[in-house]
Amino acid sequence: MVEHETALALIQLGAVFFGLGLLGRVAARIGMSPIPLYLIGGLVFGTGGLIELDHVDEFIHLASEIGVVLLLLLLGLEYTANELVTGMRKSWLAGVLDIVLNATPGVVVALLLKWGLTGAVAMAGVTYISSSGIVAKVLGDLGRLGNRETPTILSILVFEDLVMAGYLPVLTAVLAGVGFAAGVKTLGIALAAVTVVLVVALRYGKYVSMIVDSEDREIFLLKLLGSALLVAGVASALQVSAAVGAFLLGIAISDSTAHTATKILEPLRDLFAALFFVLFGLSTDPTSIPPVLGWAVVLAVATVATKVATGWWAAKRAGASTYGRARAGTALVARGEFSIVIAGLAVTTGAVPPEFAALATTYVLLMAVLGPIAARVVEPILVVVSRLRSSKRSGTRSTLETSGADGVTGQSQAVTES
């Protein structure tokens, strides 16, 4: 019996991995992020889907937790402590505007749906944070990494990632139903941890790197992955959030060690993160999506506008042209992995209604598709609009010149007749 269940589990898991590979290839062919397709794959094989996976639930659940840890660890590895501090100084005003404009729609919709404070805090995070993975890929694909507005975009993303270090502990406390004092304590621990890590990374980053570094790739991988899981586990025990712990560890690792760690961990991150998105899809009943589809569209329209406004304003302050402002705004539109991380935390605790997962899934599906499309088409649209305006001005000028010429001719005729 045990052997039979093991065989079924291997078959189901193999089918999941192979199916994800096919979905990833389709996404690459059409030039979009694979996240929406992974979510759809989870919907197909989850509760209420076409086929339910009965024998791999526990493995996928644990693998998805590792996926979240690796997502945040590699995000931390992308930044040095100096970059984070500089980014905060440069972009704090745009960052505050970003929070106000993009968290508010999520709060409003959650309150209208009567999900209470817990649902409002969770949905605020879902609608607030852009997908740094999708944004980075779009900027690279479109050849915009050297553009004048790109540092502004990256500064806003850095600010958002640091906000997550404070937001996730607060969300964890709210979901756990702890009191106000306990929530403030959790936030205090998180902020203290961020401060300590930044100081350590600035002054003693090379020593942290030495602890995990090794010339042997196998030993390096074991030490790095072990450190990440240990730190994430301790952070989770302190109710600071495992994701934040992994992010802070990534910041503390610097220089060539961080670069090597990124190269080694990227395939593992992609594998486990894919399972995380599948798990979220598995936990969402497809039949619960139609009732919230209208709200998802409302949120999508509202937050496309608010993200474009955020990027436009920030790029304008940086001296970017009209085209640069538009590119900055549309580049920030996409939501993805971190919105699902936040929604996953909320759904796992059972502190939000089932409709929450459906709304978050539908919203992220829409935004992960709309974001890259908006970034690609905004410049051609502006070119067309600019040409139409130029032709209209030319037409108006020609009309005025013709009218003026007719007037002069008429006056000359009148003088001649007189």
Side-chain angles (χ1 to χ4, degrees), residues 23 47 52 144 157 208-209 230 237 317 368 372 408:
L23 291 175
T47 304
E52 291 192 28
R144 296 179 183 173
L157 293 178
V208 178
S209 299
L230 280 171
R317 288 186 74 233
V408 171

Side-chain angles (χ1 to χ4, degrees), residues 14 27 32 43 83 132 142 144 189 200 205 211 257 278 297 310 323 331 333 345 347 357 366 384 388:
M32 66 176 286
L43 291 172
E83 288 173 341
S132 55
L142 298 180
R144 296 179 183 173
I189 292 172
V200 169
I211 293 173
T257 306
V278 169
V297 172
T310 300
Y323 285 85
V333 165
L345 285 173
V347 172
L366 290 173
V384 171
L388 289 174

